[in-house]
Amino acid sequence: MKLARYVPLALLVFCLLSALAVADSKQKGEVTFSDHVMVSNTQLEPGDYVVRWNGSGPGVRLQFMHDGKEVASVTGKVIEQKNPYKSVTTTSGENGSRVLTEIAFSDVKVVLTPGEASTSQ
């Protein structure tokens, strides 16, 4: 009978954890760069990255993670919108470098804000 008292509590905890997992999955996206790309003053190597953010709108901190480690962060704007495909937009920087300006995921577009960045190594 003691077990019957804990089943509703266990179900409630399970539901809350499931909701948090779903919410977290909408706060990140995966992107692959085939060439070097600049995020603010940090050059990212070609490879797979996870981009994480918290919230939407302007002034959101975007974290670029590679192999579980934050390699760069920059302030940006997260716009909730449906996109037909994932895309990466870059512009030409100094010395012919490619500077990342935005990433379109399936449900959001992330626009990087130039001049507002911090990096961690």
Side-chain angles (χ1 to χ4, degrees):
M1 284 299 179
K2 289 183 181 182
L3 182 62
R5 287 190 292 181
Y6 294 108
V7 170
L9 179 60
L11 287 173
L12 177 63
V13 169
F14 176 75
C15 290
L16 288 173
L17 291 175
S18 296
L20 288 174
V22 168
D24 181 54
S25 69
K26 294 185 181 228
Q27 300 288 302
K28 67 181 178 181
E30 296 179 5
V31 64
T32 300
F33 299 119
S34 57
D35 294 310
H36 291 90
V37 64
M38 296 294 293
V39 173
S40 188
N41 294 324
T42 303
Q43 182 179 39
L44 300 184
E45 298 292 323
D48 299 323
Y49 292 83
V50 173
V51 182
R52 295 181 184 265
W53 60 89
N54 189 9
S56 62
V60 175
R61 182 171 180 244
L62 307 170
Q63 298 172 286
F64 288 78
M65 313 289 288
H66 183 65
D67 293 333
K69 180 181 173 187
E70 181 179 322
V71 293
S73 68
V74 64
T75 302
K77 181 178 183 179
V78 176
I79 304 165
E80 295 184 23
Q81 69 178 38
K82 296 284 185 192
N83 299 300
Y85 49 87
K86 188 186 308 184
S87 66
V88 174
T89 304
T90 60
T91 59
S92 294
E94 296 178 19
N95 302 324
S97 63
R98 294 177 52 204
V99 179
L100 183 65
T101 57
E102 70 181 45
I103 305 170
F105 297 108
S106 61
D107 292 334
V108 296
K109 178 166 63 171
V110 176
V111 180
L112 283 64
T113 306
E116 296 182 34
S118 63
T119 60
S120 67
Q121 301 278 333

